[in-house]
């Protein structure tokens, strides 16, 4: 790949992950696109949804169909860097056991929120039921993250140290995954 293209991709990645600039310059349009890409497109798993919404609050004072159509094909793929059939089966089993609350709770967990609509489609969840849980979860997620940011923004010094807030939000967002991985590791170690 030519150097100028690589530099362009690096600059694009920096702009996409520069949360404060996205909120200030891109406003609602950029936030809407990023939240949609993170929760509705398979390629958006790396985007800063939680920290973006919290930052928006501080400074403010359809994946289902993809899963429905392509889900069976994903199970047939061999293990690869992005797709592991065992992980997809576990996600499917989890969805079967916990139903609609998975769609709501997935909004609060990075990466999981990207794949939850796909797994719902793969599992054949009734679309109206999926849509109602998805809309409720999305509204709850956006409202809670924005309000948390708003109230944090009222605390003296938070605006000046927004990077610390973002790091804490990212850590809290990935904490459930760390706990689940730790439990899985301990379970394998005991066996």
């Amino acid at each position: 790949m030519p150097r100028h293209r690589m530099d362009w991709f690096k600059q694009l990645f920096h702009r996409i992950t520069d949360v404060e600039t996205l909120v200030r310059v891109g406003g609602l349009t950029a936030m809407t696109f990023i939240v949609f890409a993170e929760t509705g497109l398979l390629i958006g798993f790396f985007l800063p949804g939680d920290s973006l919404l919290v930052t928006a609050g501080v400074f403010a004072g359809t994946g289902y169909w993809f899963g429905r159509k392509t889900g069976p094909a994903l199970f047939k793929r061999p293990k690869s860097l992005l797709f592991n059939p065992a992980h997809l089966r576990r996600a499917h089993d989890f969805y079967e056991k916990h139903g609609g609350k998975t769609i709501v709770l997935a909004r609060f967990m990075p990466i999981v929120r990207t794949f939850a609509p796909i797994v719902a489609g793969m599992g054949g969840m009734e679309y109206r039921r999926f849509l109602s849980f998805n809309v409720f979860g999305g509204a709850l997620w956006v409202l809670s993250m924005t309000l948390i940011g708003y109230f944090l923004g009222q605390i003296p010094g938070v605006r000046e140290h927004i990077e610390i807030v973002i790091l804490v939000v990212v850590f809290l967002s990935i904490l459930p995954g760390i706990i689940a991985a730790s439990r899985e590791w301990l379970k394998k170690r005991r066996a």
Side-chain angles (χ1 to χ4, degrees):
M1 179 180 285
R3 179 142 176 88
H4 70 282
R5 282 190 191 163
M6 188 60 112
D7 290 339
W8 182 83
F9 279 115
K10 284 180 185 177
Q11 288 176 354
L12 177 64
F13 182 77
H14 176 68
R15 286 182 185 145
I16 289 173
T17 57
D18 184 3
V19 176
E20 184 176 340
T21 302
L22 282 171
V23 172
R24 289 179 189 266
V25 177
L28 187 58
T29 303
M31 291 189 330
T32 302
F33 173 76
I34 287 173
V35 169
F36 172 75
E38 184 183 17
T39 61
L41 300 176
L42 189 58
I43 61 169
F45 67 90
F46 66 94
L47 295 172
D50 292 335
S51 54
L52 178 66
L53 292 171
V54 170
T55 303
V58 167
F59 290 104
T62 290
Y64 174 86
W65 290 112
F66 180 82
R68 185 82 165 176
K69 298 294 181 195
T70 63
L74 290 176
F75 277 109
K76 294 175 186 172
R77 290 186 59 149
K79 185 176 178 179
S80 67
L81 180 62
L82 293 178
F83 294 106
N84 183 335
H87 295 311
L88 286 173
R89 280 189 203 90
R90 267 202 321 242
H92 175 73
D93 293 345
F94 181 82
Y95 161 77
E96 285 292 317
K97 183 177 179 182
H98 297 288
K101 70 181 175 183
T102 301
I103 301 299
V104 174
L105 294 175
R107 289 289 185 170
F108 296 89
M109 297 171 17
I111 301 175
V112 174
R113 71 175 144 250
T114 302
F115 291 100
I118 295 165
V119 174
M122 289 167 54
M125 182 179 196
E126 180 189 357
Y127 184 69
R128 272 194 262 166
R129 186 168 182 249
F130 164 77
L131 186 61
S132 62
F133 281 111
N134 198 34
V135 168
F136 176 74
L140 184 64
W141 177 53
V142 170
L143 184 63
S144 65
M145 293 296 121
T146 307
L147 286 175
I148 287 169
Y150 175 80
F151 290 114
L152 283 174
Q154 305 305 309
I155 299 171
V158 168
R159 289 177 187 231
E160 292 78 23
H161 300 288
I162 191 68
E163 68 281 350
I164 295 171
V165 173
I166 292 170
L167 288 173
V168 169
V169 169
V170 169
F171 175 74
L172 291 175
S173 296
I174 64 172
L175 187 58
I178 293 171
I179 292 169
S182 298
R183 286 182 180 164
E184 193 66 29
W185 180 78
L186 286 173
K187 189 189 305 182
K188 285 181 182 178
R189 191 161 187 224
R190 288 181 190 143

